[in-house]
């Protein structure tokens, strides 16, 4: 029985993924490094620490993880100042409808809590959620299921009573390993993710209804 919806944040609620990629590409170019267009696809859904551990090792960068993250955040801040930061189309209405249907809602994101707080306050959606879980406080990053187990525990529901909404292969694998069904969001403007482990894949949140979510949990 469906009792809770757990949302990823980046690429599901907030349209942050392109900004991360652009800033990282720019930072690497400054170090004389040009990567393949799909190089960063592997990092969607994982923590900054896991991402930059890999990048630093791949290219032998003379920086710490914190130095890399700070540089990227500065570049993203400049981009957001120029262009703003926007929610994914139709996601805020969907969050409100789930809340009105008395479903328990949580965000389980690989982003740090400071970023989760910033996004939910910017979009004025804090009141709809009962729990916020950051992967930075987990021992293991997605695709490990730890962040989703923590979300279910915080919501006081069983993992099998949760439905996850994710946009990344790493996130969907984590949901599957947690024993949760999942909606895979195929963002038509960004990413080339393997969403084959999703229970269902959608390319627009207009395709997601409360009734559909209840039906998914029964199948």
């Amino acid at each position: 029985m469906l009792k809770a919806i757990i949302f990823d944040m980046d690429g599901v609620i907030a349209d942050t993924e392109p900004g991360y990629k652009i800033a990282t590409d720019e930072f690497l170019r400054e170090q004389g490094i040009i990567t393949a267009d799909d190089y960063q696809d592997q990092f969607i859904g994982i923590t900054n620490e896991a991402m930059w551990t890999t990048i630093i090792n791949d290219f032998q960068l003379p920086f710490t993880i914190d130095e890399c993250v700070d540089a990227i955040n500065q570049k993203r801040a400049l981009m957001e100042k120029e262009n703003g930061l926007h929610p994914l189309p139709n996601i805020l209405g969907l969050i409100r409808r789930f809340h009105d249907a008395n479903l328990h809602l949580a965000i389980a994101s690989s982003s740090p809590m400071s970023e989760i707080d910033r996004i939910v306050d910017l979009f004025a959606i804090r009141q709809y959620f009962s729990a916020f879980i950051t992967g930075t406080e987990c021992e293991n990053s997605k695709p490990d299921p730890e962040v989703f187990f923590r979300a279910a525990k915080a919501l006081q529901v069983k993992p099998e009573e949760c439905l996850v909404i994710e946009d990344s292969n790493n996130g969907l694998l984590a949901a599957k390993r947690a024993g949760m069904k999942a909606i895979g969001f195929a963002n038509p403007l960004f990413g080339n993710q393997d969403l084959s482990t999703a229970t269902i894949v959608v390319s627009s949140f207009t395709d997601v209804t409360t009734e559909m979510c209840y039906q998914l949990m029964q199948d």
Side-chain angles (χ1 to χ4, degrees), residues 18-42:
Y20 277 114
K21 184 178 190 306
I22 292 168
T24 301
D25 280 341
E26 182 178 309
F27 175 76
L28 292 176
R29 282 197 302 271
E30 291 170 353
Q31 318 313 316
I33 298 166
I34 306 295
T35 62
D37 287 343
D38 62 352
Y39 173 73
Q40 290 189 55
D41 289 352
Q42 65 185 301

Side-chain angles (χ1 to χ4, degrees), residues 158-180:
K158 299 176 182 177
E160 60 268 24
E161 296 171 330
C162 300
L163 179 65
V164 171
I165 302 181
E166 268 280 0
D167 71 321
S168 72
N169 178 45
N170 288 316
L172 289 169
L173 283 173
K176 184 175 183 179
R177 291 168 183 173
M180 300 176 181

Side-chain angles (χ1 to χ4, degrees), residues 16-24 26 71-86:
T16 50
E17 299 287 16
Y20 277 114
K21 184 178 190 306
I22 292 168
T24 301
E26 182 178 309
I72 297 307
N73 286 341
Q74 290 176 24
K75 293 178 182 298
R76 289 179 56 231
L78 289 174
M79 285 188 285
E80 288 181 20
K81 186 175 181 180
E82 293 179 1
N83 305 314
L85 180 63
H86 308 285

Side-chain angles (χ1 to χ4, degrees), residues 50-205:
M51 170 180 167
W52 283 104
T53 296
T54 298
I55 295 176
I56 289 170
N57 288 335
D58 282 352
F59 301 108
Q60 299 300 301
L61 295 179
F63 305 108
T64 66
I65 292 171
D66 287 344
E67 288 171 337
C68 294
V69 171
D70 287 345
I72 297 307
N73 286 341
Q74 290 176 24
K75 293 178 182 298
R76 289 179 56 231
L78 289 174
M79 285 188 285
E80 288 181 20
K81 186 175 181 180
E82 293 179 1
N83 305 314
L85 180 63
H86 308 285
L88 272 293
N90 304 299
I91 189 64
L92 300 187
L94 183 62
I95 290 169
R96 288 191 289 267
R97 288 195 296 276
F98 284 153
H99 180 265
D100 291 345
N102 295 316
L103 290 167
H104 302 293
L105 306 184
I107 290 175
S109 173
S110 294
S111 289
M113 190 61 72
S114 59
E115 184 73 355
I116 296 173
D117 285 336
R118 186 175 76 90
I119 295 298
V120 298
D121 289 337
L122 179 64
F123 296 162
I125 55 174
R126 181 177 294 276
Q127 68 271 27
Y128 301 118
F129 292 92
S130 300
F132 303 100
I133 310 298
T134 170
T136 62
E137 296 178 357
C138 295
E139 184 175 346
N140 301 295
S141 180
K142 298 173 185 176
D144 189 275
E146 181 181 355
V147 70
F148 289 131
F149 284 137
R150 288 191 179 213
K153 184 177 181 180
L155 295 175
Q156 299 182 341
V157 296
K158 299 176 182 177
E160 60 268 24
E161 296 171 330
C162 300
L163 179 65
V164 171
I165 302 181
E166 268 280 0
D167 71 321
S168 72
N169 178 45
N170 288 316
L172 289 169
L173 283 173
K176 184 175 183 179
R177 291 168 183 173
M180 300 176 181
K181 292 189 176 181
I183 295 173
F185 174 56
N187 190 330
L189 300 178
F190 180 76
N192 183 28
Q193 294 290 296
D194 177 6
L195 306 180
S196 60
T197 55
T199 310
I200 190 172
V201 175
V202 301
S203 58
S204 170
F205 287 118

